[in-house]
Amino acid sequence: MRVVFLSLFIFLAAPVALADDAIRFASVEVYLDSDAPVAAWQFELSDDNGTMKVVGVENGDSNVFSDAPYYDREAVQLGNADRIIVADYSLAGAAELPAGNFRLTTLHLMLTGSSEPSFDLQLVTANAHDGRAIDATIRLEAPTGSEQ
């Protein structure tokens, strides 16, 4: 009798437990806005609710940052990237560097649970071609139709 009851309990409780741990995928784009040409940048993204794992990182819009930016690839590959630091730099001349509003990267995320993520995006630094810090702002945007 105990085995039947336990089996019935597991059978009925499993879908509820799985529903709470629903997995979905989304992408977010990270934009930087600066009046000065940007040669280097770094940001950190985390989720205060603990629902996010980064599963991929793509390059942005600028030709001088044409490869994927630098990040902890091993943590992403192992599924351990619940926060991520992303950075890139270019040795291009000031005339070739991007200024204004441009996309740094697209991050692909796995979101778990029923609560929405509470992203914390921090710009660590933005620098000019001569290494001096420049004023810049950073923002996160979810592309239309990105949630799958």
Side-chain angles (χ1 to χ4, degrees):
M1 181 67 174
R2 267 193 230 168
V3 173
V4 173
F5 179 73
L6 182 60
S7 298
L8 184 59
F9 176 77
I10 291 172
F11 178 74
L12 294 175
V16 173
L18 292 175
D20 288 343
D21 290 334
I23 295 175
R24 59 200 190 279
F25 293 90
S27 62
V28 293
E29 296 178 340
V30 181
Y31 288 88
L32 188 74
D33 192 11
S34 172
D35 292 335
V38 178
W41 52 265
Q42 180 177 329
F43 70 83
E44 180 175 353
L45 177 68
S46 61
D47 171 25
D48 294 338
N49 289 341
T51 64
M52 172 191 87
K53 296 275 188 220
V54 179
V55 295
V57 179
E58 288 183 28
N59 62 315
D61 292 332
S62 174
N63 290 336
V64 298
F65 303 118
S66 59
D67 294 330
Y70 297 93
Y71 62 97
D72 186 349
R73 284 173 167 61
E74 184 176 355
V76 170
Q77 289 171 351
L78 294 175
N80 297 332
D82 56 353
R83 84 180 220 334
I84 192 164
I85 297 171
V86 183
D88 208 348
Y89 69 95
S90 173
L91 299 176
E96 300 172 65
L97 296 172
N101 185 41
F102 64 98
R103 184 172 55 92
L104 297 177
T105 185
T106 299
L107 301 175
H108 300 278
L109 310 174
M110 179 176 69
L111 305 171
T112 58
S114 58
S115 65
E116 291 300 314
S118 176
F119 295 122
D120 182 17
L121 177 65
Q122 299 292 322
L123 179 62
V124 176
T125 192
N127 298 86
H129 72 287
D130 59 4
R132 70 187 156 76
I134 56 176
D135 288 332
T137 57
I138 194 165
R139 69 181 167 84
L140 198 63
E141 186 176 296
T144 306
S146 69
E147 197 152 317
Q148 303 167 359

